[in-house]
Amino acid sequence: MNKKVLLASLVIFSSHVPAAQIWMKGSDCDINESATVINVFRQHFDSITTLMGKEPRREQIETVATDLLDGVKRSLFEALIEKSEEQGRDLIIDKVVLKERLKDNGKLVAVSGRIFAYPVTACRTKTAITADNYEMITATAFSKKTHTVSSQITIDLNAKRAEQKVTQVKDTAITPTEVFGIALGDTFTAAEQQIGRFTLVWPVNSHQKLATIGRNHAFLFEHDKLVGYQYAFTLLPVALANLINIHDIDAKVQVEDESLAIINRPLSQHHVSALTARYAHVAFFQEGRYTKTPNTKLSELTIGRFHIDEPTTPPCYQGKTDIDLFIEQQQSHLIQWQDVEHKTILYTGCHQLMELNKLGKVTSVKLQEAWSLRNANLIGLASISQVLLPWQFYGISYLDPQSAASKLGKVERFYDTIEVAAPKWVGHFKAYEGQLVSAEFEKM
């Protein structure tokens, strides 16, 4: 941020004496009951310089974020003054929401602010917010009077429904009929009782459900019964695997009198022969095949019947209803997983990634390009991925021209990034050669 420009703007702005005033939350004011709430959003962001591809230090992030926060507060104050002068009335602040986020793989710090205010008919408070103390927009003036703005807090009485179960694989054995204590023929509910929770659950169609533990173990349920299991060294698309939680399991199989660990371990020719004899579907790969001492490792193992029937496309959010209502109605039909930060993620049928908070409410949405299936070995992956459609969002579609971003709200362009601010959403589209390819939005 250019501090000289900031200083100059403050000097210029402080010379202007506004006709109207901005009052802190809780000031002794009378609200104009017939007026609608004033909603103002501002966002500033700046890059972080790192050396040799290293992650930015926390001290760097805090320094940049502090400067940005000051700029956001100043911008919010200036915007309120403009609104106040447009209406010819003083304003009282009701609520301020400030957020700090790292974007672009930690290379960019973004600080956003949204402020809600009401026009007032009269105030008995002595000190107003001015260009000299604009940072006080987040402060509260305490008053003994009763003419203050009240805030309402909605408590979700069903909060317990979002309590997180933890994946705990205590039985690590694999046999031709049972995996981690889950037997072929067991119900999905019985399977979850055995391991706590699955990492990813994909309702493939009306009668089949795919579930994984971590990134390498897949279970296929048909009519609510386990019919097949697959282990693969590279099971999922890289773009998907990087998004879901890691759960390493030291899986073992019984080979003669030996309990043999088989995950990413060198196997002797004797072990390879024994596994091939016991399991109908097993494959191996050579690690370091061109070295003097190559290792043979397990690449895939399947038990039961693993066949995906014709898949159906999960629902896609079009923006026609409230997004939390969409989740409430469609959650059981969406792809769901736990990410590396143990947050609940929902994935729609048009590559929309939705992050939920602990109460099951949407906090952010990412619009993503299709996954590359290269080197992913999940049986039926090509079929179930093919039904996923390019993303859509409030009438904007994948590969639309950059100008389409304005359908959602007010836009500002920064090279190949288009910042969008709307009443319910704020975020950025990424563009390539003039076309929209991805986006990330926060719900306000």
Side-chain angles (χ1 to χ4, degrees), residues 3-254:
K3 291 185 173 57
K4 292 183 179 179
V5 174
L6 173 60
L7 179 61
S9 67
L10 285 174
V11 171
I12 293 171
F13 191 78
S14 63
S15 65
H16 170 64
V17 179
Q21 300 284 3
I22 309 300
W23 303 99
M24 287 185 288
K25 176 181 174 68
S27 295
D28 184 13
C29 298
D30 299 324
I31 302 171
N32 182 356
E33 300 292 349
S34 63
T36 57
V37 64
I38 293 170
N39 182 346
V40 175
F41 173 84
R42 291 293 183 270
Q43 180 168 255
H44 291 190
F45 57 89
D46 203 354
S47 59
I48 301 178
T49 303
T50 57
L51 299 176
M52 303 296 290
K54 293 182 178 179
E55 292 290 323
R57 300 192 311 275
R58 185 63 205 175
E59 295 80 3
Q60 288 179 284
I61 298 171
E62 290 176 349
T63 299
V64 174
T66 299
D67 287 345
L68 292 175
L69 179 61
D70 184 75
V72 167
K73 288 183 178 181
R74 175 177 57 83
S75 296
L76 289 172
F77 170 70
E78 293 175 355
L80 283 182
I81 287 293
E82 290 179 7
K83 295 290 186 181
S84 177
E85 293 182 338
E86 286 175 6
Q87 297 200 8
R89 289 190 179 276
D90 291 2
L91 301 180
I92 185 171
I93 295 171
D94 178 35
K95 183 171 63 174
V96 182
V97 180
L98 298 170
K99 292 184 179 181
E100 171 192 326
R101 289 179 71 92
L102 285 176
K103 298 180 179 292
D104 205 9
N105 294 323
K107 298 177 183 177
L108 201 68
V109 178
V111 176
S112 62
R114 188 177 291 275
I115 197 164
F116 301 87
Y118 285 92
V120 296
T121 56
C123 279
R124 290 160 291 278
T125 301
K126 294 181 179 179
T127 305
I129 301 175
T130 68
D132 294 326
N133 66 355
Y134 62 88
E135 70 279 359
M136 297 296 290
I137 62 169
T138 55
T140 299
F142 296 99
S143 172
K144 296 180 181 179
K145 303 293 182 180
T146 59
H147 305 283
T148 56
V149 178
S150 62
S151 59
Q152 294 182 344
I153 301 175
T154 301
I155 300 174
D156 189 339
L157 298 178
N158 296 316
K160 289 185 178 180
R161 64 182 170 80
E163 288 181 357
Q164 297 292 330
K165 297 179 182 178
V166 179
T167 305
Q168 292 182 324
V169 179
K170 299 177 181 179
D171 184 348
T172 61
I174 298 177
T175 75
T177 59
E178 187 175 290
V179 180
F180 309 147
I182 307 170
L184 293 176
D186 279 354
T187 65
F188 183 84
T189 300
E192 280 202 313
Q193 289 174 347
Q194 176 65 27
I195 54 99
R197 66 168 291 171
F198 286 102
T199 307
L200 176 147
V201 178
W202 187 328
V204 176
N205 49 47
S206 62
H207 60 281
Q208 288 184 313
K209 183 183 296 182
L210 182 71
T212 77
I213 298 179
R215 304 175 177 184
N216 303 101
H217 306 273
F219 298 76
L220 181 63
F221 292 84
E222 190 169 296
H223 298 294
D224 199 42
K225 300 293 180 64
L226 180 65
V227 295
Y229 159 83
Q230 181 191 9
Y231 162 82
F233 183 72
T234 52
L235 182 74
L236 301 172
V238 172
L240 173 58
N242 287 343
L243 295 173
I244 71 174
N245 199 14
I246 300 172
H247 196 92
D248 292 327
I249 301 171
D250 192 19
K252 297 178 175 64
V253 300
Q254 195 69 25

Side-chain angles (χ1 to χ4, degrees), residues 224-417:
D224 199 42
K225 300 293 180 64
L226 180 65
V227 295
Y229 159 83
Q230 181 191 9
Y231 162 82
F233 183 72
T234 52
L235 182 74
L236 301 172
V238 172
L240 173 58
N242 287 343
L243 295 173
I244 71 174
N245 199 14
I246 300 172
H247 196 92
D248 292 327
I249 301 171
D250 192 19
K252 297 178 175 64
V253 300
Q254 195 69 25
V255 177
E256 297 172 350
D257 295 330
E258 179 184 2
S259 181
L260 178 66
I262 57 173
I263 304 300
N264 202 22
R265 302 286 182 88
L267 301 172
S268 68
Q269 187 57 49
H270 173 71
H271 291 148
V272 169
S273 299
L275 288 169
T276 303
R278 191 174 191 198
Y279 295 93
H281 305 283
V282 62
F284 306 90
F285 70 99
Q286 287 285 319
E287 183 181 71
R289 67 174 64 185
Y290 300 112
T291 65
K292 293 181 179 180
T293 56
N295 290 319
T296 299
K297 292 186 175 182
L298 180 70
S299 64
E300 189 174 344
L301 185 149
T302 308
I303 68 171
R305 180 176 58 83
F306 209 106
H307 175 77
I308 302 291
D309 295 336
E310 184 175 353
T312 57
T313 303
C316 176
Y317 179 64
Q318 304 286 354
K320 296 178 180 179
T321 61
D322 179 77
I323 194 166
D324 289 320
L325 178 61
F326 168 81
I327 295 301
E328 183 179 328
Q329 295 173 342
Q330 304 292 346
Q331 184 164 352
S332 62
H333 303 292
L334 300 175
I335 307 166
Q336 179 171 323
W337 68 78
Q338 186 184 52
D339 73 1
V340 293
E341 295 179 345
H342 303 282
K343 295 177 181 178
T344 298
I345 302 296
L346 298 179
Y347 209 79
T348 75
C350 60
H351 291 290
Q352 299 167 324
L353 186 155
M354 301 177 178
E355 181 180 301
L356 305 187
N357 62 17
K358 292 182 179 179
L359 295 178
K361 305 297 184 182
V362 177
T363 59
S364 67
V365 172
K366 295 180 181 179
L367 310 176
Q368 300 194 313
E369 294 187 88
W371 304 319
S372 169
L373 306 187
R374 184 180 179 183
N375 296 328
N377 295 296
L378 176 67
I379 297 171
L381 178 62
S383 175
I384 61 177
S385 296
Q386 197 171 30
V387 301
L388 298 180
L389 305 173
W391 59 256
Q392 301 174 43
F393 199 59
Y394 288 89
I396 308 169
S397 301
Y398 176 64
L399 297 184
D400 271 354
Q402 294 185 40
S403 58
S406 61
K407 292 181 181 179
L408 185 58
K410 182 181 178 182
V411 303
E412 290 188 42
R413 290 179 172 81
F414 305 91
Y415 301 102
D416 290 330
T417 299

